[in-house]
Structure formats: C-alpha cells, structure tokens
Amino acid sequence: MSISDPHRSRYGRYVGGDPLAPPVDLAEALDAIGEDVMAGYSPERAMREFLRRGGTHQTGLDELAARVAAKRQQLLQEHRLDGTLQEVRELLDRAVLNERKQLARDVTMDDGDRALRELELDNLPPSTAAAVAELSSYDWQSAEAREDYERIKDLLGREMLDQRFAGMKEALENATDEDRAAVNEMLSDLNDLLESHTRGEDTDQQFADFMEKHGDFFPENPRNVDELIDALAARAAAAQRMLNSMSAEQRAELMALSEQAFGSPQLTQSLARLDANLQALRPGEDWSGSERFSGEQGMGLGDGTGVMQDLADMDALAGQLAQAHPGARMDDVDLDLLARQLGDQAAVDARTLAELERALRDSGYLKRGTDGQLRLSPKAMRQLGKALLRDVASRMSGRQGQRDLRQAGAAGERSGATREWAFGDTEPWDVTRTITNAVRRSAAEGGPTRPVRIDVRDVEVQETEARTQAAVALLVDTSFSMAMDGRWVPMKRTALALHTLIRSRFRGDHLQLIGFGRHAQVMDIDELTGLDAMWDKGTNLHHALLLANRHFRKHPSAQPVLLIVTDGEPTSHLEGNGEVFFSYPPHPLTIAHSVRELDAAGRLGAQTTFFRLGDDPGLARFIESMARRVDGRVVAPELDDLGAAVVGSYLGARGPASAYGHYGDWFGGRGFWVGD
C-alpha cells in the first residue's frame, strides 16, 4: 500500500476508557442539579458544582485537581536542582584522587616534578567551576583521572543540550567528535532558520530542508516552523525557570562550568544564541518564573528542566480543571496532558465529565432563556419531579391504607378486576378473558370442532377506580425563616413532587401553588423552584387563603383540598385598600383576618391539612386551634418526610390523624399510589 494513500489504515493505542461501559447516567446529575437550583443556584452554577463534586461512581473535577496539586507538591518536596553540580564535583574529586595515587606510586618520576604537581593539586580553588577550569591545561599522569576529567566536559555538554532537547543526554553518551560536530552544525542551522523566520524570510522549503538534514534531533516531528518554535520555546523557558530557581552561587558555578562543555565555549555560545531567538519569538512563555525545591534527590539539568515542564503542565491543568473563567467548558481540559501527568484513568474520568456536560446541554434538560441564562427545561423539571416522586414512594411504602371506592365505568386507574361488558362502557377490553369466554362458550354449544367466534356475551372489560376531581391549593411559606432554618429546599421538593404527581397521574385535578411571605402570590412550578430566599418580614396566611378560596370557587364541582406548609404564625394581612399590614408579635387583627378566610375555606368544603415545621409551642397551639375550626388535621413531619406527608395527605381521605401513625391516613380516598 502506498504511503501517500489517503485511505490507508492507521492503528494506535486505545485511550477511550471501557468500551463496554454504559453511557453517562444523567439521572444522578439531574437530581443534584435540581437540588442546587432549588437551593438558589443558577442551573449553570449547579451543573458546574456537580461536575466539581462528581457522582457516586464518577470522579469529579475537585478530586482530579487535588491529585494534580498533590503531584506538584511531591515533585517539589522530593527533588533539588544541584544534581549536575554534585555529579561534576564527584567526578572531579575522583580524578584528583586517582591522580594523587598515580603520583605516589610512580617511582620513575622526578621528585621535583612530583612535588610541583602535588602542590598544584593541593592549591586547587574550592569552587568546582574554578577547579575544573584550572585543570583544563593540566597534564594528567593517571589514565583513570584523565578519563574522569574528560567525562566532566562530556557530561556538561550533554546536560546543556538535554536542557533544550529532551533525550540528548542519553543519545550523546559515548559520542564521537563527529557526533559533536553534527550537534554544532544543527544548532547553527537552527539559529539561521529562526533568525530567517524572525525577519519573515524563511520558506516552507527551508524548514523542509532543515528537517530532512536534522530531523533525528526532533522526535516530536513538528509539521512546520511554528510547531518547532513552540516545542523549543516551552523547553527553553523551563530551562530558564530552573536556573531562576537555583541559588545565586549555584547559577554562577553552572555558568562558569558551561564554558567547559565539550571542551570549548562554542556550545555555550550557540545555546545562548538559540535562547535569545526563542525569547524574541515567544515572549509569552514564562521566562522569569521560579520554584522552591526542598527535597534530597538531586536532578541534572535535563531532568530538572523536564520537572519544570511537568510543573508548568500541572499549573495549566489546575487552571483547566478549575473551570473558573467565563464560558469555561470541559472541552477545555487537555486530555492528553492529563493522561501524561495522572494516567489514562484520569483522562477517562475527565472525558466522561465532558460527555456528561455535553449530554446535559444537548439533551434538552437545560435551556437558555431570553436573558441568555441557562434554566432547567420542562423536560428536566419532569425528570426531577419523577425522581422526587420515587423518593416519596419509598418513604410511603409499607404503610397500609384504604383502597378507593370502585365504580365500574368511571375514568381512572385500572384496578385489575374485570366484569361483563354493558352498553355505554368505554373501558378497554380484557382480551385474555374475552377470548377464554368465547372458547368455552363455543365448546359448550357446538363441541371442540366448532369454530370460535366472539359474541357480545363473551366480552369483559377492565374495571377502573372511581375518581372525583379535586381543586388543590398548596400554600407554602416563603418567609425568610424557611431559608434560615434549612426548610427552603424541602419545601420546593414537596411542591415539585405534588405538581408532578397531579400532572402525570391525576390530570383532571386542578393544582394551584401559592407562596406566602409578606404577601402571597400564585406561582408556576418553575417560578417556585427557582425562587431565591429574600429577607422579607411577614407571614401573610390571610392573603394566601384569599387566593386559595378564589381557586376553589373557580372549580365549584371539584373537591377542595387545602394543604398549608408553614413554620410560623401569621404576622401580616391585607388591608381593605390592598396594603400589607405587618406586626410582630402577631396582631389580633391579623389573626382574625386569617381565621375568617380559613372559615370561608371550610364552608366551601375544603379538606384542610396543616404541615407544621419546627417545634415552637406557640405555633403548635395556634395551628391546632385553626385545624379544629375546620375539622382539619395537623402533621408535624421531619423535613425529609415533608414531601411524603403532603403527597399522602393529598392521596388520603379525611380520617383520624392517628389511624396510620403521626402522618394520618396517607392513602385512602385518593387511591393507592406507588412510584415508577
């Protein structure tokens, strides 16, 4: 197959995670996002918070960021930067020691010459760089000592190249003079190319010629001169940051030693020219940064530069994982970089979060309003409501209650029972029972050979439960005390659960949600779930009951059901002119107005249940007295059980409050219900 064939197959390591893993599960994410939205977060922020926290079996951004920070700290605490200086010092000490041994055992040497050489060795300067420079013209008598000294120059050259070109230290080990000449030629051509690029005179052909001649020095295989400059500048900037991180004494030693690299200053001059070109071409790189290392493991120049690059990579990852800038998306996270620093599983976790974010945006669960802000869509509200209903069902499961009165022919849920069809019935046929009846009748009338024909006498229909329409008013306290005492989100969850139940199971019922603080207002479910807690003095039960009674009068043929969730006595009411009157402690006039409207609800036949939140004795006495006026009930649920209590009261018929525990008859006249 031709190399230039555009349809050739290419293979590589699979990095996509478990191919048999199930697709991302939005249910847990949607539950968490809905919870935060009801607590006052915007949907955008709620989604960001979920991505940060992660799910039950999903690593979040915070955990990934913590692992990045831990690895960064580990590198700083394990390493120090004087590895090359230490290695040079060790080679120098060994060379001097071997030379002294050779001088001591060489009996043929002139004593005066021996004494002169020993004096020169004794008077070497304490500075490693100065000692190496002073010994550059020394005539070594020991072959081992000469070899160690030559290794110093070779080591310095390879380390300095390794700073700019990763892998050079190993590649040039045991290098020949021809290898060193090739390096010098490459550096000269590279600088010429960069300087031509700076002047705008370079061409694609010049780059291609350079890569054809020196491509072995660049295993990353850049496709153009800009990619080449990017790679070189990132490495050179890391090398400069490493120098910046050294002490002044270490930098001075290293600069002095660099003149001995490969035995001549040519390499140092070429690298300095390269650094100047790269800084001019990529001034945006971090050339002035530094780090504080505190470990015991010394690093050479090349390894130290690699660690500095790792630190820069982790800083970049920390910024990407923080998702702090406006418009940040999970797609901003560099998965290849994350895999390189934390391993393939970390990249898989981040990719899953990106898919989750994309699914939330693309699946219709979030919509952007006219103001540009994300909001939970009706689809998301339905999904969240179903989840809340399942939670309510689990809390109500196991409690026994009455079944609905069943009346054949009434619209409602299928009961499981069947009966003979009668004229006017609209229920669905029970096909199994109908065919069975036809077979039995045919066999009885004509024997087993008679064809089976369905007669009207064979038809059975499925019975359904009798249901009457209800006009339901859910009054929820939206005063600031509800938010202060942690009742804000349970209140919203309760409203959403009841709304979902009625919209999905009892569509003939009429639900009105009424929030009451300083004044009351009818609210859509979206408005209520997105309501922010506000400091607003007043609990205007009077106004809320006015709105509820108006709702009941609009549906005269429906059974009124009044559900009131509150944590405080009424402290405000509406005056005749529409102004709000507020007084704390509650004014007798406010109590009187509230009682009058509650009595009006009682005259309309409303089945009333108060849900008292909190342990205030005064509130308990007031609500008990209010409930007695209309033969209502009082339920004092725990916050986690508020939704189950309200839904149970809606489903249940009036009965003794103690019939089934402290929540009263949760099932009963509205029918037995379980979640999906």
Side-chain angles (χ1 to χ4, degrees):
M1 182 179 291
S2 171
I3 294 178
S4 61
D5 182 357
H7 304 293
R8 68 183 185 275
S9 300
R10 300 184 65 182
Y11 301 91
R13 184 170 60 93
Y14 177 72
V15 293
D18 183 2
L20 301 180
V24 292
D25 180 14
L26 296 182
E28 182 182 14
L30 189 61
D31 290 348
I33 291 171
E35 189 89 2
D36 285 345
V37 167
M38 289 188 286
Y41 287 15
S42 68
E44 179 77 32
R45 182 184 173 191
M47 180 177 66
R48 292 280 160 226
E49 288 299 315
F50 178 78
L51 294 176
R52 290 173 65 85
R53 294 191 303 263
T56 305
H57 303 293
Q58 173 61 51
T59 301
L61 290 173
D62 281 348
E63 182 176 339
L64 292 174
R67 290 169 58 189
V68 167
K71 182 176 179 182
R72 190 185 199 286
Q73 189 67 17
Q74 180 184 9
L75 288 176
L76 293 174
Q77 291 178 345
E78 286 184 352
H79 299 96
R80 67 173 193 267
L81 299 177
D82 60 351
T84 297
L85 295 176
Q86 289 291 332
E87 192 171 356
V88 169
R89 186 76 229 183
E90 291 172 4
L91 288 171
L92 178 63
D93 289 343
R94 193 164 65 195
V96 171
L97 179 60
N98 286 331
E99 181 68 7
R100 290 182 184 279
K101 291 179 179 178
Q102 178 62 30
L103 294 177
R105 62 174 172 257
D106 189 352
V107 296
T108 63
M109 182 178 291
D110 180 74
D111 290 342
D113 187 24
R114 180 186 293 109
L116 186 60
R117 291 176 180 278
E118 289 177 344
L119 181 63
E120 186 174 355
L121 295 178
D122 291 339
N123 290 309
L124 286 174
S127 165
T128 302
V132 171
E134 190 165 314
L135 290 172
S136 61
S137 59
Y138 181 80
D139 182 18
W140 298 91
Q141 300 300 299
S142 167
E144 293 86 351
R146 183 182 300 107
E147 183 180 345
D148 285 335
Y149 184 78
E150 291 299 323
R151 287 177 61 190
I152 291 175
K153 295 187 290 183
D154 182 70
L155 171 67
L156 290 170
R158 290 188 293 116
E159 286 281 15
M160 292 180 66
L161 285 171
D162 204 36
Q163 273 195 303
R164 275 69 170 192
F165 309 93
M168 278 288 198
K169 182 178 179 181
E170 291 76 18
L172 290 177
E173 192 169 7
N174 302 318
T176 64
D177 291 339
E178 289 76 12
D179 295 330
R180 298 186 185 97
V183 169
N184 288 327
E185 184 180 9
M186 179 273 292
L187 289 173
S188 177
D189 292 346
L190 176 59
N191 280 311
D192 290 342
L193 174 64
L194 298 184
E195 288 161 3
S196 295
H197 186 75
T198 302
R199 297 190 300 268
E201 299 172 356
D202 64 313
T203 63
D204 292 341
Q205 187 58 47
Q206 185 180 2
F207 172 75
D209 292 342
F210 174 83
M211 290 300 298
E212 183 178 359
K213 184 177 181 181
H214 304 295
D216 291 342
F217 290 100
F218 304 94
E220 60 272 18
N221 195 27
R223 293 171 296 180
N224 52 55
V225 69
D226 285 313
E227 287 190 4
L228 174 64
I229 294 172
D230 287 340
L232 291 173
R235 183 79 178 178
Q240 184 60 51
R241 292 195 301 274
M242 179 182 178
L243 290 176
N244 299 342
S245 304
M246 292 179 172
S247 66
E249 293 78 12
Q250 289 173 334
R251 279 197 300 274
E253 284 278 289
L254 194 59
M255 291 299 99
L257 281 171
S258 65
E259 297 295 329
Q260 302 297 321
F262 288 158
S264 77
Q266 182 180 357
L267 177 62
T268 303
Q269 295 167 2
S270 296
L271 292 177
R273 181 184 168 196
L274 175 62
D275 289 345
N277 286 327
L278 292 173
Q279 289 192 38
L281 289 166
R282 293 293 184 269
E285 289 285 348
D286 182 8
W287 300 94
S288 59
S290 62
E291 299 287 351
R292 182 182 293 274
F293 290 84
S294 58
E296 296 298 324
Q297 183 178 338
M299 293 184 295
L301 298 182
D303 291 340
T305 300
V307 168
M308 298 301 291
Q309 283 190 295
D310 286 341
L311 294 174
D313 287 348
M314 284 182 279
D315 288 342
L317 284 173
Q320 295 166 12
L321 294 171
Q323 297 279 286
H325 63 277
R329 300 283 291 267
M330 280 301 303
D331 290 337
D332 298 337
V333 178
D334 188 332
L335 298 181
D336 291 335
L337 189 60
L338 189 63
R340 189 160 64 245
Q341 294 298 338
L342 296 186
D344 289 340
Q345 184 57 48
V348 171
D349 292 334
R351 183 182 292 107
T352 303
L353 290 175
E355 292 172 356
L356 182 61
E357 179 190 42
R358 198 175 302 114
L360 285 168
R361 293 182 185 277
D362 298 344
S363 62
Y365 287 125
L366 298 175
K367 65 177 182 178
R368 198 168 294 279
T370 56
D371 58 357
Q373 298 297 315
L374 284 178
R375 290 183 170 82
L376 292 180
S377 67
K379 178 180 179 181
M381 296 297 291
R382 290 193 297 271
Q383 188 71 20
L384 183 58
K386 290 178 181 178
L388 295 176
L389 278 179
R390 285 193 294 270
D391 179 65
V392 167
S394 67
R395 294 179 182 278
M396 294 173 64
S397 62
R399 299 178 184 273
Q400 301 298 319
Q402 297 175 338
R403 302 284 289 184
D404 239 351
L405 174 65
R406 293 177 177 81
Q407 176 183 340
E413 301 289 343
R414 298 175 184 177
S415 67
T418 63
R419 64 169 178 78
E420 185 178 348
W421 177 84
F423 179 78
D425 285 343
T426 59
E427 286 72 34
W429 286 15
D430 187 306
V431 177
T432 302
R433 297 282 301 218
T434 298
I435 294 177
T436 301
N437 292 340
V439 170
R440 289 175 176 172
R441 182 185 51 76
S442 298
E445 293 178 357
T449 59
R450 181 173 178 173
V452 177
R453 298 181 182 276
I454 296 177
D455 188 88
V456 70
R457 295 170 295 171
D458 304 324
V459 177
E460 291 196 26
V461 296
Q462 297 175 348
E463 289 189 348
T464 57
E465 299 177 0
R467 283 203 318 217
T468 58
Q469 283 189 331
V472 185
L474 175 62
L475 282 54
V476 291
D477 190 341
T478 58
S479 62
F480 194 68
S481 62
M482 291 283 286
M484 287 287 290
D485 295 328
R487 298 161 185 156
W488 197 251
V489 173
M491 174 269 290
K492 292 182 178 182
R493 289 170 60 92
T494 297
L496 182 54
L498 182 63
H499 175 273
T500 302
L501 174 63
I502 291 177
R503 290 292 181 268
S504 61
R505 301 298 183 86
F506 301 97
R507 296 184 180 91
D509 288 356
H510 309 282
L511 172 65
Q512 187 165 85
L513 302 174
I514 301 171
F516 63 98
R518 188 176 184 86
H519 65 278
Q521 61 179 331
V522 177
M523 295 182 171
D524 293 333
I525 187 61
D526 294 351
E527 185 180 5
L528 179 58
T529 54
L531 184 66
D532 289 332
M534 296 177 292
W535 174 254
D536 194 13
K537 293 182 179 179
T539 304
N540 201 332
L541 180 60
H542 166 242
H543 192 188
L545 289 169
L546 274 171
L547 296 176
N549 288 335
R550 184 182 304 170
H551 176 60
F552 295 151
R553 293 187 185 101
K554 286 172 61 178
H555 305 282
S557 61
Q559 168 63 51
V561 178
L562 179 61
L563 308 171
I564 304 171
V565 178
T566 185
D567 70 345
E569 300 175 69
T571 55
S572 61
H573 67 270
L574 281 185
E575 296 279 12
N577 59 4
E579 295 294 324
V580 174
F581 174 87
F582 170 79
S583 174
Y584 184 83
H587 194 279
L589 191 59
T590 298
I591 300 298
H593 278 72
S594 302
V595 168
R596 185 180 65 197
E597 285 304 317
L598 182 65
D599 288 346
R603 288 192 295 273
L604 290 172
Q607 299 181 19
T608 303
T609 306
F610 287 88
F611 300 90
R612 174 174 59 81
L613 305 180
D615 301 322
D616 179 26
L619 174 64
R621 289 192 296 270
F622 169 76
I623 288 182
E624 289 288 351
S625 64
M626 292 281 279
R628 282 196 297 270
R629 294 184 65 88
V630 292
D631 196 19
R633 290 184 297 168
V634 178
V635 178
E638 297 293 333
L639 284 179
D640 289 344
D641 287 328
L642 177 61
V646 170
V647 169
S649 182
Y650 164 72
L651 293 173
R654 288 169 57 186
S658 59
Y660 297 99
H662 67 288
Y663 295 133
D665 182 7
W666 281 13
F667 303 92
R670 298 300 305 169
F672 180 84
W673 169 83
V674 294
D676 289 332

